[in-house]
Amino acid sequence: MKLAISGKGGAGKSTLAAAIVLLMARRGREVLAVDADPDANLAAALGIPAAEQEKIIPISRQAALIEERTGAEVWQYGQIFKLNPKVSDIAESFAYHHQGVALLVLGAVGRGGGGCACPENVLMRALVTDLILYKDDALVMDMEAGVEHLGRATASGVDRMIIIIEPGQRAIDSTRRILRLSHDIGLQDIRLVANKVTGPEDERFIRDAFPENKFLGIIPYREEFRRADRDGRSVLDGLPGDLLRCLEDILKNLEVPL
Amino acid sequence: MKLAISGKGGAGKSTLAAAIVLLMARRGREVLAVDADPDANLAAALGIPAAEQEKIIPISRQAALIEERTGAEVWQYGQIFKLNPKVSDIAESFAYHHQGVALLVLGAVGRGGGGCACPENVLMRALVTDLILYKDDALVMDMEAGVEHLGRATASGVDRMIIIIEPGQRAIDSTRRILRLSHDIGLQDIRLVANKVTGPEDERFIRDAFPENKFLGIIPYREEFRRADRDGRSVLDGLPGDLLRCLEDILKNLEVPL
């Protein structure tokens, strides 16, 4: 499964992505987590300590190094991944390992005024498209906020997408735009998750906006996620049983074909 | 004043931007609000009804029209704004008007796979750099989430920036990256606003992370902002007196030189 997680900034993409990859890893699945957000934070959501995060070399910088050494034009064609097309190879060569998860970080924009992140996205698309998965392998990509990455079709190699929505008009609008653009790049299998739901009114608000779409689950608004972020812990660390079951159900529903 | 508002996705950029421009307009100032977020939503935060929002033509599309008609290469040089360098002209020619605010929308990515938003950002930079302001005029730009726009230096024409921060490690990390990149593009006047603060612990958490930086204010976590978004109202609509005063104080502090 090649899964992308999208949604408005702040809706809970990194939280959900981290929960899904950690739960998959706990079940012994080989999982490659990809942080495709230039304003990267998946490492923090996975509970990787700040001092460790600094050791992670973004693949954009790794690619530049390889390009320098080999003269290969990695930016244009993503040969870097064509040479290593299996999750296990990529994970071995480039990923940071944490609690059974292999993490690839796309990398933030290096320097103010240094141009757009498009070359990084070409590389990312090559990775996502060319990667060969075994039956139980998974690639989970935490997309950058908003819709620009879809304009660049970073997601065109994925076979499944989750859009996470919080109960606000702006998140609804954002979701509509993502659905439209996803359709343009030929992505069919899209599921929704409602997040930060404070009660039946919030849930109805979100469901009514997307009556045709399949919801994987409804995550209640709870302080625990905020606290985990503030205190630099993994999203699953110290999570109460009911919230954990809610996330496990989402993962279970994700396996059911549309 | 040419002001940019930046911060992690979901931290409250559009909410603060909308509050500032509405309060400025109430005081009779000429204010041009610029929505520079491809996942645009400033119109909603200003309380412009959904049906009206559809009538707003993003400047990226307006520029394309003008290019078609005149043959001018607006993408490269932003002549469109060089020909109309005053707020009043721009506002008259291109903006949508609402409650005394002139709104320019950069525009979402038109079509999935249609390329990156860099040309739109070249245009936006031309606008922000070339615009001539009278003493009390203001341009307030709601930046896209994250840091990529700083890599493209969209903000290089502004003279002041506010970074809005919520109490989470990821928002702190994001703010650090924005500060670093802002420095790279030569932006000196940067102030912070803490948002979604639930108590003294949250406030300390944020202040301790940035002991050297000046805070314009602390916005408490309150349901009213969420509700306004969900119900499609302006951020100031029905706001309790204490929250309104909090936002007015931020605006007042913004006028004080660093």
Side-chain angles (χ1 to χ4, degrees):
Chain A
M1 184 198 308
K2 293 178 182 176
L3 171 71
I5 300 183
S6 187
K8 183 179 174 301
K13 283 184 298 297
S14 296
T15 299
L16 183 62
I20 286 177
V21 298
L22 288 170
L23 289 173
M24 282 177 165
R26 280 188 188 177
R27 291 169 184 193
R29 290 178 67 172
E30 182 119 28
V31 54
L32 184 62
V34 179
D35 188 340
D37 189 346
D39 187 29
N41 55 29
L42 186 56
L46 289 169
I48 298 172
E52 282 297 303
Q53 286 176 38
E54 285 171 19
K55 297 183 193 160
I56 300 175
I57 303 171
I59 56 163
S60 55
R61 240 165 65 206
Q62 297 190 44
L65 279 174
I66 290 168
E67 196 173 25
E68 235 176 69
R69 283 177 199 161
T70 64
E73 292 176 18
V74 287
W75 294 119
Q76 272 75 37
Y77 306 104
Q79 288 98 328
I80 179 173
F81 301 122
K82 284 210 173 113
L83 295 171
N84 301 278
K86 287 178 193 155
V87 164
S88 51
D89 292 343
I90 296 280
E92 216 169 281
S93 314
F94 305 106
Y96 180 93
H97 294 266
H98 177 77
Q99 294 192 355
V101 173
L103 171 67
L104 279 185
V105 176
L106 173 61
V109 175
R111 198 178 149 75
C116 79
C118 301
E120 283 87 338
N121 280 278
V122 169
L123 193 70
M124 188 58 71
R125 184 160 56 186
L127 164 66
V128 174
T129 310
D130 297 337
L131 198 69
I132 298 166
L133 295 183
Y134 288 107
K135 186 175 169 296
D136 285 329
D137 289 358
L139 175 146
V140 178
M141 180 161 58
D142 180 11
M143 308 283 289
E144 72 185 286
V147 296
E148 203 188 335
H149 54 279
L150 290 171
R152 288 191 297 239
T154 311
S156 60
V158 305
D159 50 35
R160 215 164 286 190
M161 182 184 270
I162 299 176
I163 309 174
I164 187 160
I165 315 168
E166 61 183 320
Q169 196 56 54
R170 295 179 242 162
I172 300 282
D173 293 346
S174 187
T175 302
R176 291 216 172 95
R177 272 193 295 270
I178 294 168
L179 284 169
R180 201 171 56 234
L181 291 167
S182 300
H183 183 260
D184 287 348
I185 60 171
L187 190 54
Q188 301 295 327
D189 188 336
I190 302 177
R191 335 265 180 116
L192 309 182
V193 168
N195 191 22
K196 305 189 193 176
V197 169
T198 60
E201 206 180 338
D202 277 353
E203 181 175 343
R204 209 166 35 240
F205 175 78
I206 294 176
R207 284 194 187 271
D208 286 356
F210 303 101
E212 315 268 299
N213 293 87
K214 189 166 173 179
F215 280 81
L216 294 178
I218 308 292
I219 305 174
Y221 182 83
R222 292 271 287 275
E223 276 296 302
E224 281 87 349
F225 292 118
R226 266 170 55 94
R227 291 262 163 75
D229 178 18
R230 194 189 63 188
D231 302 340
R233 288 181 286 112
S234 129
V235 294
L236 294 189
D237 189 5
L239 207 63
D242 62 324
L243 278 182
L244 189 63
R245 275 189 299 279
C246 173
L247 294 169
E248 280 170 340
D249 285 345
I250 287 173
L251 186 55
K252 208 164 61 189
N253 293 334
L254 183 62
E255 305 290 344
V256 181
L258 260 192
Chain B
M1 186 198 307
K2 293 180 182 176
L3 171 71
I5 300 183
S6 186
K8 184 179 173 304
K13 282 184 297 296
S14 296
T15 298
L16 183 62
I20 286 177
V21 298
L22 288 170
L23 289 173
M24 282 177 165
R26 280 188 188 178
R27 292 170 185 193
R29 291 178 67 171
E30 181 118 28
V31 54
L32 184 63
V34 179
D35 188 341
D37 188 346
D39 186 28
N41 55 30
L42 186 56
L46 289 169
I48 298 173
E52 282 297 304
Q53 285 176 39
E54 285 171 19
K55 296 183 192 159
I56 300 175
I57 302 172
I59 55 162
S60 54
R61 243 165 64 207
Q62 297 190 45
L65 278 173
I66 289 168
E67 196 172 23
E68 237 177 68
R69 284 179 198 158
T70 64
E73 292 176 19
V74 287
W75 294 119
Q76 272 75 38
Y77 305 105
Q79 288 96 329
I80 180 173
F81 301 122
K82 285 210 172 114
L83 294 171
N84 300 279
K86 287 179 191 152
V87 164
S88 50
D89 292 343
I90 296 281
E92 214 168 285
S93 314
F94 306 105
Y96 180 93
H97 293 265
H98 177 76
Q99 294 192 355
V101 173
L103 171 67
L104 280 184
V105 175
L106 172 62
V109 175
R111 199 180 149 74
C116 81
C118 301
E120 283 87 339
N121 279 279
V122 170
L123 193 69
M124 186 60 70
R125 184 161 54 188
L127 164 65
V128 174
T129 310
D130 297 337
L131 198 68
I132 297 166
L133 294 184
Y134 288 107
K135 186 173 170 297
D136 284 327
D137 289 358
L139 175 145
V140 179
M141 180 159 61
D142 181 12
M143 307 284 289
E144 72 186 289
V147 296
E148 203 188 331
H149 54 278
L150 290 171
R152 286 191 298 239
T154 312
S156 60
V158 305
D159 50 36
R160 215 165 286 191
M161 182 184 272
I162 299 177
I163 309 174
I164 187 160
I165 315 167
E166 61 183 321
Q169 196 55 55
R170 295 181 243 159
I172 299 282
D173 293 346
S174 188
T175 302
R176 291 215 172 97
R177 272 193 296 270
I178 294 168
L179 283 169
R180 201 170 57 234
L181 291 168
S182 300
H183 183 259
D184 286 348
I185 60 172
L187 190 55
Q188 302 294 328
D189 189 336
I190 302 176
R191 335 265 180 117
L192 309 182
V193 167
N195 191 22
K196 305 188 193 178
V197 169
T198 61
E201 207 180 338
D202 277 353
E203 181 175 343
R204 207 164 39 237
F205 174 78
I206 293 177
R207 283 194 187 271
D208 285 357
F210 303 101
E212 315 270 299
N213 293 89
K214 187 165 174 179
F215 280 80
L216 295 178
I218 308 292
I219 305 173
Y221 182 84
R222 293 270 286 276
E223 276 296 302
E224 281 87 348
F225 292 118
R226 267 170 53 94
R227 292 262 162 74
D229 178 20
R230 194 189 64 188
D231 302 340
R233 288 180 285 113
S234 129
V235 295
L236 295 189
D237 189 5
L239 207 63
D242 63 324
L243 277 183
L244 189 63
R245 275 189 299 279
C246 173
L247 294 169
E248 280 170 340
D249 284 345
I250 287 173
L251 186 55
K252 208 163 60 189
N253 293 335
L254 183 62
E255 304 290 344
V256 182
L258 260 192

